[in-house]
Amino acid sequence: MLPESDFLRIHRSFIVSRSKIRSFSKQEVFLSDGTSLPIGRQYAGEVIQKLVK
């Protein structure tokens, strides 16, 4: 229901706003408020691909 251009599913339990992502690695996403969230194995390839663009 959320627009794909603004939000990204990074884990079965987490959907994040792209505007809140400060940085990322292969295993986690770091948000602008200092929170780090894991990237699920099944989502890793797609997440990295979309964030690198």
Side-chain angles (χ1 to χ4, degrees):
M1 297 292 171
L2 297 171
E4 284 188 42
S5 60
D6 298 332
F7 293 90
L8 185 61
R9 178 175 289 283
I10 62 166
H11 189 276
R12 186 176 71 178
S13 301
F14 300 111
I15 296 175
V16 296
S17 171
R18 288 177 180 234
S19 65
K20 300 295 182 185
I21 297 173
R22 184 184 70 204
S23 62
F24 64 95
S25 69
K26 286 184 176 182
Q27 297 176 349
E28 57 190 337
V29 169
F30 301 96
L31 304 181
S32 57
D33 68 355
T35 305
S36 65
L37 299 172
I39 297 176
R41 284 179 287 173
Q42 75 181 57
Y43 298 98
E46 183 179 346
V47 169
I48 301 299
Q49 181 183 20
K50 288 184 177 182
L51 290 176
V52 171
K53 283 186 179 180

